Every structure is written in C-alpha cells, then in structure tokens.
Amino acid sequence: QEDFERRFYIPHLTDIFDDAARIPSTFCLKSRRPITEDFANGYPSDEKWNGYVNNNDRVLVKTIHYSSPSSAGAECVDPDCTWVEQWVHRAGPREKIYFKPEEVNAAIVTCGGLCPGLNDVIRQIVITLEIYGVKKIVGIPFGYRGFSDEGIPEMPLSRKVVQNIHLAGGSLLGVSRGGPNVSDIVDSMEERGINMLFVLGGNGTHAGANAIHNECRKRRMRVAVVGVPKTIDNDILLMDKTFGFDTAVEEAQRAINSAYIEAHSAYHGIGIVKLMGRSSGFIAMHASLASGQIDICLIPEVPFHLHGPHGVLRHLNYLLETKGSAVVCVAEGAGQNLLQKTNATDASGNIVLGDIGVYIQQEIKKYFKEVGVPSDVKYIDPTYMIRACRANASDGILCTVLGQNAVHGAFAGYSGITVGICNTHYVYLPIPEVISYPKNVDPNSRMWHRCLTSTGQPDFI
Ligand code: ATP
Ligand code: MG
C-alpha cells in the first residue's frame, strides 16, 4: 500500500479542480449493454452493474512466485521481495468526470519517429472524445514543432476525418524531432485554449509531456496531459508490450525470409538483416524466435567479438562448412563499441548510432577473403519499410484500447500519466516511472536463452 502510494500514485487535478466540479460521466455504458432479458441469468442486476472502473481498482505488476532463490529470474527480486507486490492503477472510464464535454478543447500531437499504429491511436482518441460529447478536437501538425512553427495550421479532427486513417501507416498529423521549449508549448496551449492534450511518442516525447504537465500545474491551468507510449522497440518499463512492436516483428519476418532465401540459394551465402532496437534487442530477439531462420542474433545487451577464436566470424565459417549458408540478425544498437564513436546527435539530442549492419557486412567480406573461403554476402536494412507499415490485427486492438483509455484518463482528471498494458490489464502509470530508463532484454532471462536455443549460437566472447 505504502509502496503503491509512493511509486505509482498518478497525478490528479483535484488540487486545481474543485472536487464539487465532478459531474456524472457522459460516457454512458448502460445504453451499450446487452439487453438484460436475454442474459437474465448471466448478468448481475442493474443496480450492481455500472461498468465503470473504480479509482481504487488496481493491477498487480508481477504475477510470479519464485519458490527458490535459485529459480530462473528469482535473482532479480530484491531480498525483502517488496516489489513483487507492487500495484498500479487500472485504466478505464470513471463514473464521475472532471471536464464538461462542451468545455473541452482537445489536441493530439505525434512526435519522434514513425511507428505502426499511430493512426489507430489518433482515430480512437477522436472517436472516444466524440462519444463523450466533445466537439472541439484538433491535431497539432508535425510534433511539438506544430505548437510554434507559423504557417502550419492545426488540423480539425472528427470521426469523419479519421474514419479510415488506420488503413494506412504513418501519422495523419506528421511527426518531427526537436522543436520549441516547454514554456513556449504551454504558452501556445494557453493561446489556443487547449485543456486536454494527448501526446503520442517515445521517451523524449514523454519527458516533454511530463514537463508540459508540470508547467501547466505551475500556472494552475486545468489541463489534462495524457501520453500514449510509442516505441516500436518495446523498451518501455512495466509494460507487457507497446503498440507497433508486434507489427514490427511480423514485418521483420519478410526481410529475414528474403535474407534466408538469398543466402540459401547462393554458394556459401550469408544474409544479414539489421532490425530496430537502439538500446534493447526485443525486436531482433522476437523476430529470430519467430522466424526460426536465424543462426546468429546480436543485440545491444549482449557484448560480442567479431574476431578471435570465439568471434562471430569464426562461427560463420563453421556454419558455411556445416550448413552451407547462414543468416545473421543484428539490432541497430548492438556492438556499438566496435564502431568509431561520433558525437553526432539528432534534432532531439539523441546520439546518432553507427551503422553496425554495414560494418558487419564489410568485416565478413574482409574475413572470408583473408581466409580464402568464398562467400556471398547480402545485407538487408528493412527499418523504414517496417516503421511505415500499418498496424497488424493485434496492434490494432492494442491501439484501440490505449486510445480509448487515454481519453477516459483525461476525463477522470488525471494528468502527467501514460497508458499501458501490464499483465494483460490496461493501466495508468505516472510518466516519470516509465521513462526513468529503457527496458532491456535480460541476458539471463528465459527468453534470451530460448532465443539462443533456437539459433544454436555460442557466446561470442
Ligand atoms: P522515438 O522513440 O521515435 O525516438 P521520442 O519521443 O523519444 O521517440 P525524440 O525525438 O527523442 O523522440 O523526442 C520527441 C520530442 O520530444 C522532440 O520534439 C523533443 O524536442 C522532445 N523532447 C525530447 N526530450 C525532451 C525532454 N527531456 N524535455 C522536453 N522535451 C523533450
Ligand atoms: Mg527516443
């Protein structure tokens, strides 16, 4: 209980709003209930059922009991086991809301890079806002820049506008990196009268959203700022998965399969596929597991050598001898220690990574030339093709629920929160809690070991 209050308490606008301002929800659930007579025995009586989520409903963060300290995974539990019992807030529509729909002026903004599902989330936010009765909804074009750049008008949004946008990838609103400072963004929000802001983006965007939330509170503005985490890498703490990840893994199969066919059809063919994953190798690991066509999977969390008796190159030589071909899957952030450091950063201040895929390709070619073994190396980088895809079915559902819950959270008066899925339940989390550091693949985890079992690769150290 104490830990919950300390760690996962989600900011609420109660101190700014008069509690008496709460009104019954305009998101009516009863009208959408099945007809009672048909379910006479299966549903509780009308008095008991209201379908809203109680503010005190909670979801357990970890649902495993390790019976022995030597059980796989148990080493990560701190000795007094307190974190095992952590709870987070359950997401969903509340019975009492803090905003009168006719007074809501909602804005949506998408920042960072592209990710499958952005349009699905935008669409669902708009649709849900309309169901609450909101009439004024706008899209801020091209990320946070849209708040300051003149000549980019905001985009009025309605169900009609967003009806079919999920059929294509990308973001209806456009994205960008960098842009105005937080105080300018909040000035612009004040000018436009925005009192609900939905922010779709990664860790940088969420850091911005949290700063916007804090600035609004400082100015005692009655504004709800709600994030929807967008990271194709699936590297956000506490969440089962983030939208776009499933689609990315599925789409990566096409690239891997092409690399496999190329490698398999050539004499001593070697295919290399570079996948997304700046600091965590979830996409590479899951794509390797899903495809069953990868011989070597390289991720940022697990160091490796290319050269030397236990290096990747020696193993590739062995694979050519024994199998005749090989396929390597490498995450973009893997092996950065092998590359020349540059201090280049993008407009948002993120470090520009060296291209590990190209480097590995060159080193493989060089190595086989030196040892006098013929080889035929093909390199595929499907990054932009994957990011631009439309969401698959499972991501489509995830986006839909996240979008709806973002709106429920804002109406409930929460701000500085983000939405996610935790142990199959949808939850609200305080933003700082999920962006304090990226979630990584644990090299001691069962999943990574399953991946190694599947590829058959040794340690490259
Ligand atoms: P991606 O996963 O695609 O990198 P991201 O949200 O991390 O998504 P960034 O380009 O890092 O993408 O940031 C998006 C926006 O957030 C930019 O407009 C940037 O200026 C802003 N931003 C980043 N970090 C902060 C921060 N610490 N405080 C305020 N704003 C920030
Ligand atoms: Mg980022």
Side-chain angles (χ1 to χ4, degrees):
Q1 174 71 30
E2 200 181 284
D3 197 56
F4 173 76
E5 297 301 345
R6 196 181 68 237
R7 260 196 83 178
F8 296 116
Y9 173 76
I10 54 178
H12 198 277
L13 298 171
T14 29
D15 53 341
I16 295 176
F17 272 110
D18 182 2
D19 205 42
R22 294 202 303 170
I23 57 166
S25 180
T26 51
F27 184 81
C28 182
L29 290 150
K30 292 209 171 185
S31 62
R32 265 167 275 142
R33 249 192 95 187
I35 299 156
T36 320
E37 290 80 44
D38 292 351
F39 298 86
N41 301 318
Y43 280 87
S45 71
D46 261 11
E47 297 82 71
K48 274 197 202 141
W49 194 90
N50 80 6
Y52 294 106
V53 170
N54 189 294
N55 274 345
N56 295 319
D57 286 356
R58 287 165 195 191
V59 173
L60 193 54
V61 173
K62 286 276 172 192
T63 51
I64 182 164
H65 176 75
Y66 301 105
S67 62
S68 150
S70 63
S71 298
E75 71 277 3
C76 304
V77 182
D78 73 55
D80 56 7
C81 275
T82 46
W83 68 268
V84 173
E85 297 241 345
Q86 281 177 352
W87 300 82
V88 292
H89 292 261
R90 190 175 168 213
R94 305 306 205 242
E95 194 170 6
K96 288 278 174 64
I97 56 175
Y98 273 80
F99 289 89
K100 289 189 182 127
E102 62 274 19
E103 289 171 8
V104 170
N105 219 328
I108 308 173
V109 62
T110 57
C111 318
L114 287 184
C115 176
L118 280 169
N119 280 337
D120 301 61
V121 179
I122 295 169
R123 175 175 184 271
Q124 210 54 226
I125 290 174
V126 171
I127 287 174
T128 310
L129 283 166
E130 282 199 351
I131 288 181
Y132 270 95
V134 176
K135 297 276 190 300
K136 281 177 269 171
I137 312 166
V138 296
I140 304 296
F142 301 108
Y144 288 139
R145 285 182 188 279
F147 279 111
S148 64
D149 288 10
E150 287 183 13
I152 329 181
E154 55 187 34
M155 184 187 291
L157 296 175
S158 64
R159 182 188 271 269
K160 203 169 160 209
V161 174
V162 299
Q163 188 60 43
N164 294 319
I165 61 171
H166 62 305
L167 302 179
S171 166
L172 173 75
L173 307 175
V175 291
S176 72
R177 298 192 189 274
N181 64 36
V182 168
S183 145
D184 291 343
I185 293 174
V186 177
D187 286 349
S188 166
M189 285 171 64
E190 260 190 309
E191 246 167 61
R192 297 165 198 243
I194 292 166
N195 55 6
M196 264 190 202
L197 179 64
F198 299 95
V199 181
L200 283 52
N203 50 352
T205 308
H206 272 71
N210 200 51
I212 293 169
H213 156 75
N214 287 331
E215 180 65 22
C216 288
R217 297 207 101 177
K218 213 170 84 193
R219 301 190 192 180
R220 298 199 63 78
M221 290 160 63
R222 292 180 176 186
V223 174
V225 183
V226 178
V228 182
K230 168 222 65 114
T231 157
I232 202 166
D233 296 352
N234 198 31
D235 58 353
I236 295 247
L237 293 172
L238 294 157
M239 298 185 186
D240 297 356
K241 65 172 178 180
T242 46
F243 74 82
F245 174 69
D246 246 23
T247 308
V249 171
E250 195 173 302
E251 211 49 38
Q253 304 303 296
R254 295 179 205 271
I256 290 175
N257 193 246
S258 304
Y260 176 81
I261 290 172
E262 286 284 352
H264 208 66
S265 308
Y267 179 68
H268 278 188
I270 297 174
I272 306 162
V273 179
K274 186 177 80 171
L275 295 174
M276 294 80 74
R278 284 178 64 86
S279 60
S280 49
F282 288 105
I283 294 180
M285 175 172 78
H286 282 245
S288 299
L289 276 162
S291 73
Q293 294 175 315
I294 295 294
D295 301 291
I296 299 175
C297 175
L298 303 170
I299 60 171
E301 295 88 339
V302 179
F304 60 90
H305 290 307
L306 284 182
H307 300 273
H310 302 293
V312 171
L313 299 171
R314 189 67 74 86
H315 186 59
L316 274 173
N317 201 346
Y318 165 78
L319 290 169
L320 292 192
E321 267 172 33
T322 51
K323 291 180 60 188
S325 65
V327 186
V328 181
C329 170
V330 58
E332 62 179 318
Q336 289 296 308
N337 57 318
L338 307 174
L339 305 172
Q340 198 121 42
K341 283 243 170 338
T342 67
N343 289 323
T345 53
D346 67 17
S348 295
N350 303 303
I351 289 166
V352 177
L353 298 178
D355 195 330
I356 187 67
V358 169
Y359 177 72
I360 288 182
Q361 179 196 23
Q362 289 164 348
E363 290 301 299
I364 292 175
K365 283 184 177 167
K366 241 193 285 174
Y367 168 80
F368 283 103
K369 210 165 163 191
E370 272 165 28
V371 296
V373 174
S375 71
D376 191 343
V377 186
K378 308 261 167 53
Y379 172 51
I380 300 178
D381 178 356
T383 304
Y384 290 115
M385 303 192 70
I386 294 176
R387 292 189 350 164
C389 278
R390 72 173 271 201
N392 69 7
S394 105
D395 274 332
I397 296 170
L398 181 58
C399 290
T400 297
V401 183
L402 294 176
Q404 291 186 3
N405 277 329
V407 175
H408 296 317
F411 265 103
Y414 293 114
S415 179
I417 62 162
T418 193
V419 294
I421 180 165
C422 185
N423 280 322
T424 72
H425 295 284
Y426 294 90
V427 298
Y428 295 135
L429 292 155
I431 290 176
E433 198 61 49
V434 298
I435 58 166
S436 49
Y437 54 93
K439 185 172 80 173
N440 288 126
V441 173
D442 175 0
N444 290 320
S445 65
R446 307 280 329 274
M447 213 54 178
W448 178 243
H449 287 157
R450 290 175 187 126
C451 186
L452 297 182
T453 303
S454 164
T455 60
Q457 74 197 65
D459 287 341
F460 296 115
I461 284 290

